[in-house]
């Protein structure tokens, strides 16, 4: 595999693990604020991000490339409203999409069709990630100021369950 692609995928492993760390920090915030449903939602989100890192890691191993685990940055954990982490999640997912697109561009340039094919799952996943994050923001904006509605939203988030992403489920 091209050195640039290997380096970008190693950086993506770090970005996905940082995403897990960030969402765990969001879960901690909501737990402390008494919204344990939102905490559950972000705990599951953190597990999915760890899975994304594993999928990239496995891909490097499959291709006989070296995995390099770098340090994970400390996430910012100060929030001024229930809405703020949700807006940060949406912004973060858009950033992650730009990273995936960057690897795709590099793979295209290197005529690395295997990596492009591998990344297609992530291209679809990012659409879902952004859509979910956007829905979370919209709902909080619409209903978050009403205590009963917020209680219902929190209960909906409490119902979210973890499912193994398909690239890992087959192993
Ligand atoms: Fe790994 Fe939320 O994208």
């Amino acid at each position: 595999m091209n050195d640039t692609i290997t380096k970008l995928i190693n950086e993506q492993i770090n970005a996905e693990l940082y995403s897990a760390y960030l969402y765990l920090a969001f879960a901690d915030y909501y737990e402390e604020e008494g919204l344990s449903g939102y905490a559950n939602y972000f705990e599951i989100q953190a597990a999915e991000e760890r899975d994304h890192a594993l999928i990239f890691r496995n891909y490097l191993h499959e291709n006989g490339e070296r995995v390099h685990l770098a340090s994970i940055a400390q996430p910012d954990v100060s929030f001024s409203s229930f809405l703020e982490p949700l807006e940060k999640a949406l912004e973060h997912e858009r950033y992650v999409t730009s990273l995936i697109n960057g690897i795709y561009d590099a793979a295209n340039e290197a005529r690395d069709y295997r990596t492009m094919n591998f990344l297609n799952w992530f291209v679809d996943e990012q659409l879902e990630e952004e859509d979910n994050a956007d829905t979370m923001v919209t709902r909080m904006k619409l209903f978050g100021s009403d205590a009963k509605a917020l209680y219902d939203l929190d209960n909906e988030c409490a119902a979210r369950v973890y499912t193994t992403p398909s690239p890992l489920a087959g192993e």
Side-chain angles (χ1 to χ4, degrees), residues 20 23-24 41-54 162 165 168:
Y23 293 146
L24 208 51
Y41 181 94
F42 279 108
E43 277 167 25
I44 290 170
Q45 195 60 35
E48 281 196 0
E49 299 301 349
R50 177 213 52 206
D51 288 346
H52 294 168
L54 290 177
Y162 169 80
L168 287 183

Side-chain angles (χ1 to χ4, degrees), residues 32-106:
E32 283 159 19
E33 293 292 326
L35 292 175
S36 56
Y38 277 87
N40 172 66
Y41 181 94
F42 279 108
E43 277 167 25
I44 290 170
Q45 195 60 35
E48 281 196 0
E49 299 301 349
R50 177 213 52 206
D51 288 346
H52 294 168
L54 290 177
I55 295 166
F56 280 110
R57 171 183 171 271
N58 290 352
Y59 184 68
L60 286 184
H61 281 306
E62 275 170 2
N63 283 278
E65 298 292 345
R66 199 112 184 227
V67 174
H68 174 70
L69 295 178
S71 358
I72 304 166
Q74 184 176 12
D76 180 7
V77 290
S78 54
F79 308 110
S80 58
S81 68
F82 297 149
L83 179 64
E84 199 182 337
L86 305 178
E87 288 182 323
K88 284 190 170 165
L90 177 58
E91 187 186 328
H92 184 69
E93 288 303 331
R94 287 176 176 154
Y95 169 65
V96 172
T97 298
S98 76
L99 296 178
I100 301 285
N101 290 346
I103 309 173
Y104 209 105
D105 283 343

